[in-house]
Amino acid sequence: MKLLVTGGAGYIGSVVAAQLLEEGHEVTVLDDLSTGHADAVPPGAAFVQASITEAGGVLSEGFDAVLHFAAKSLVGESVEKPGLYWSHNLGGTLALLDAMRQAGVNRIVFSSTAATYGEPERTPILETDPTRPTNPYGASKLAVDTALTAFAGLYGLGAVSLRYFNVAGAYGEFRERHTVETHLIPNILKVALGERESVSVFGTDYPTPDGTCIRDYVHVADLARAHLLALDACTPGEHRIYNLGSGTGFSVKEVVDVCREVTGHPIPITVAPRRSGDPAVLVASSEKIQRELGWKPAHAMLRDMVADAWTASTKPA
Ligand code: UDP
């Protein structure tokens, strides 16, 4: 298939683009490089440096589907600059959907998030559970899901939204490297690499066994594989939503311990106040995508995710 991957110079988009190329697809990456890296675009993919609002020209070349990753994705920033999140994530995606309609491209796999659920009433979270995002990032992603449902009903779009929980690990040299790093595992590994003195643990008074937040980590290679299955499952007139996690929760302190084990570094911690908007526990039920699309995580062990991230981060970029 001929596929457009928006945000394919970012962490997850680049791994998906690499896997699509391995499967023999023709891939064009569209990325404005606002947070991505040109050298993360996998060899073999065509690259267009542009915003998603300018996707029309590229799409008119004729594509079979779009995999849409390009987005603003920092929770804290979204609280400070909600307009930026609404215009990029919702406005940008609506422009992309319009351009797709005009070009006759009627399949999309959308990169969504567990932040659409907000503070869950129960775990593991099912796709049918209430969606009450607690920040503009989650709200803007949820609004796109709403738009996709409407477009599927009105225009026969075939859409699949994948709601990621916490993504970790690396795929060969493709790894997480944000200019502003907010994620737990890369921040811990920076300590092991000698780039930071200690890692801050945001809150030790949560109602969890060790007082720190619990998250569900999924390996980026497994997550990427789910996109290939989702692409095949895009059915005109249907919008499907699937959670993606491994179904097991690890506390912040447990993650630090695994990182200590993998790196052999003592990784000092500093207890810091809670980070605003962080739910105590986020664990996915991924039963639906396993049942309907046959997805199965091949690297469900947190140790393997950390080991892959560590190996990739100790190689020169
Ligand atoms: N966290 C932390 N220190 C950090 C980064 C994150 O204690 O330097 C905590 C954060 O408060 C959350 C968990 O680690 O409870 C996972 O955060 P991350 O930003 O990796 O992912 P999120 O769950 O926010 O998507």
Side-chain angles (χ1 to χ4, degrees):
M1 278 193 270
K2 188 169 175 190
L3 304 166
L4 184 69
V5 179
T6 76
Y11 171 45
I12 300 167
S14 63
V15 176
V16 173
Q19 289 194 359
L20 290 168
L21 288 163
E22 282 163 26
E23 294 290 313
H25 296 291
E26 192 182 334
V27 174
T28 297
V29 165
L30 180 122
D31 197 303
D32 66 3
L33 298 185
S34 55
T35 52
H37 306 268
D39 63 1
V41 176
F47 176 53
V48 177
Q49 185 175 351
S51 143
I52 45 173
T53 56
E54 301 159 338
V58 183
L59 282 167
S60 63
E61 289 168 19
F63 281 85
D64 296 300
V66 173
L67 295 105
H68 179 33
F69 299 91
K72 295 273 166 204
S73 62
L74 299 178
V75 169
E77 183 184 54
S78 81
V79 174
E80 285 160 24
K81 301 176 188 166
L84 184 72
Y85 277 68
W86 286 108
S87 67
H88 274 254
N89 293 358
L90 179 60
T93 303
L94 289 175
L96 176 69
L97 290 174
D98 268 344
M100 286 173 62
R101 275 186 64 211
Q102 275 178 26
V105 182
N106 70 346
R107 288 200 275 177
I108 186 166
V109 177
F110 175 58
S111 166
S112 189
T113 167
T116 51
Y117 293 109
E119 186 77 51
E121 275 166 19
R122 58 165 185 186
T123 54
I125 301 172
L126 293 172
E127 291 83 350
T128 45
D129 283 352
T131 41
R132 291 187 289 243
T134 50
N135 53 64
Y137 166 60
S140 66
K141 288 280 185 173
L142 180 62
V144 171
D145 279 348
T146 310
L148 291 174
T149 305
F151 277 53
L154 276 171
Y155 309 124
L157 182 72
V160 177
S161 295
L162 299 175
R163 290 187 175 159
Y164 313 155
F165 282 63
N166 291 62
V167 188
Y171 187 67
E173 74 274 24
F174 300 107
R175 66 183 172 92
E176 205 167 0
R177 49 189 171 117
H178 301 111
T179 317
V180 181
E181 191 51 77
T182 62
H183 291 118
L184 179 62
I185 294 175
N187 275 342
I188 298 174
L189 296 183
K190 277 179 190 288
V191 181
L193 286 166
E195 294 173 16
R196 285 192 187 181
E197 293 283 303
S198 68
V199 65
S200 299
V201 172
F202 298 137
T204 51
D205 57 349
Y206 283 95
T208 58
D210 68 17
T212 64
C213 287
I214 293 177
R215 294 289 181 271
D216 179 343
Y217 294 86
V218 58
H219 196 294
V220 68
D222 288 330
L223 184 92
R225 185 63 47 197
H227 293 71
L228 278 73
L229 298 171
L231 183 62
D232 288 338
C234 280
T235 310
E238 271 185 30
H239 176 212
R240 302 193 194 183
I241 296 176
Y242 296 108
N243 287 342
L244 275 178
S246 58
T248 312
F250 290 89
S251 74
V252 172
K253 282 187 177 165
E254 286 171 333
V255 174
V256 173
D257 282 341
V258 171
C259 292
R260 285 176 176 146
E261 210 183 294
V262 168
T263 62
H265 189 284
I267 309 181
I269 62 169
T270 309
V271 174
R274 288 184 178 197
R275 195 171 66 174
S276 133
D278 271 347
V281 182
L282 278 178
V283 177
S285 165
S286 301
E287 202 265 328
K288 185 179 173 198
I289 191 164
Q290 302 206 20
R291 188 181 65 242
E292 293 189 6
L293 304 191
W295 179 74
K296 206 171 167 354
H299 316 273
M301 306 289 289
L302 181 62
R303 202 185 185 288
D304 295 343
M305 301 179 211
V306 171
D308 289 351
W310 177 238
T311 305
S313 62
T314 50
K315 279 188 200 148

